[in-house]
Amino acid sequence: MNFATAFGPFVRADGVWSQIMCPVDRGQKPRPALFLDRDGVINEDVGYLHHTEDVRLVPGAAEAIAGANRLGFPVVVVTNQGGIGLGYFGWAEFAAVQDRLLELLAAKGAHVDGVFASPYHPRATGPYAHPSHPSRKPNPGMLLAAADWLAIDLARSWIVGDHARDIEAAKNAGLAGGMHVLSGHGGEDGQRESALAFADDGFRVLTGTSIVGALRVLPLYRA
């Protein structure tokens, strides 16, 4: 199934939603990027979001994204959307929510360069049933695809996420580090501790209350 909107998204043969708003020459010199989980980081997590009236930005999210925009590095959303695999909603509802989210960001002078969404879930019963699909975080498939499409230098890139699996996906993709936030599911038991456990000499894990802290602590904003 394909959708043709102003942003030209499409569902790839492997079932992953891929939306490139700011195309680049894929042969250009790679540059660092800011990867973002969606629900709980950019917008409030209401649980399997699929109604446009429920889309509300996390305070400071648009400002953090606009800051990245001004510095010229791409902002890429990588989101698990297992609700599709579980049958709670479909791609049409996801597309409508995406359009609304992008509209709210644009109203505050912010934009994202790409969006990737994985519909796979271990408990799904249809075509999106998979115990650990390469695209579903903590696997790195969406980040690797974004790097190819948007000429991203993964080794100098960072992620912001509210789940430990976001941070693990960043490490699996070879990113420089990740920032774990307490918004969304980040404050649940064990999430922060699990996220911090991924830190080592080659991978940094920073912390914050929400994405607004990215402006202060992420090295990308000081480059």
Side-chain angles (χ1 to χ4, degrees), residues 42 57-67 69 104-106 108-111 211:
I42 303 174
L57 293 177
V58 168
E63 290 75 12
I65 293 171
N69 298 155
L104 291 175
L105 290 174
K108 291 180 174 290
H111 73 269
I211 189 177

Side-chain angles (χ1 to χ4, degrees), residues 9-206:
F10 62 96
V11 179
R12 300 188 328 223
D14 65 356
V16 176
W17 173 280
S18 302
Q19 187 173 7
I20 309 299
M21 280 76 100
C22 300
V24 300
D25 179 353
R26 293 164 74 178
Q28 76 174 44
K29 182 179 179 180
R31 63 265 169 85
L34 175 64
F35 288 94
L36 300 175
D37 181 42
R38 194 190 76 173
D39 303 324
V41 174
I42 303 174
N43 55 273
E44 295 181 5
D45 193 331
V46 299
Y48 296 111
L49 173 63
H50 61 286
H51 294 301
T52 56
E53 60 268 27
D54 292 332
V55 181
R56 295 181 293 273
L57 293 177
V58 168
E63 290 75 12
I65 293 171
N69 298 155
R70 288 191 295 272
L71 290 170
F73 50 84
V75 178
V76 184
V77 178
V78 284
T79 175
N80 286 351
Q81 291 295 318
I84 293 175
L86 292 166
Y88 298 156
F89 57 95
W91 285 122
E93 290 81 5
F94 176 80
V97 164
Q98 276 302 116
D99 283 349
R100 177 57 178 159
L101 181 60
L102 296 172
E103 180 182 74
L104 291 175
L105 290 174
K108 291 180 174 290
H111 73 269
V112 300
D113 295 70
V115 178
F116 294 82
S118 173
Y120 294 93
H121 196 283
R123 297 198 309 273
T125 57
Y128 296 133
H130 197 288
S132 182
H133 193 271
S135 68
R136 180 176 169 83
K137 295 176 292 183
N139 296 320
M142 290 188 286
L143 290 80
L144 298 178
D148 180 47
W149 277 99
L150 291 165
I152 291 170
D153 182 349
L154 292 171
R156 294 192 292 146
S157 297
W158 287 74
I159 197 169
V160 178
D162 63 322
H163 283 95
R165 67 184 176 220
D166 298 318
I167 308 305
E168 185 178 3
K171 186 169 185 176
N172 289 336
L175 268 63
M179 177 181 170
H180 180 263
V181 295
L182 295 177
S183 54
H185 292 272
E188 294 179 354
D189 287 349
Q191 286 291 335
R192 172 140 294 176
E193 293 78 6
S194 296
L196 287 169
F198 292 113
D200 60 29
D201 290 343
F203 184 79
R204 296 177 62 191
V205 179
L206 306 176

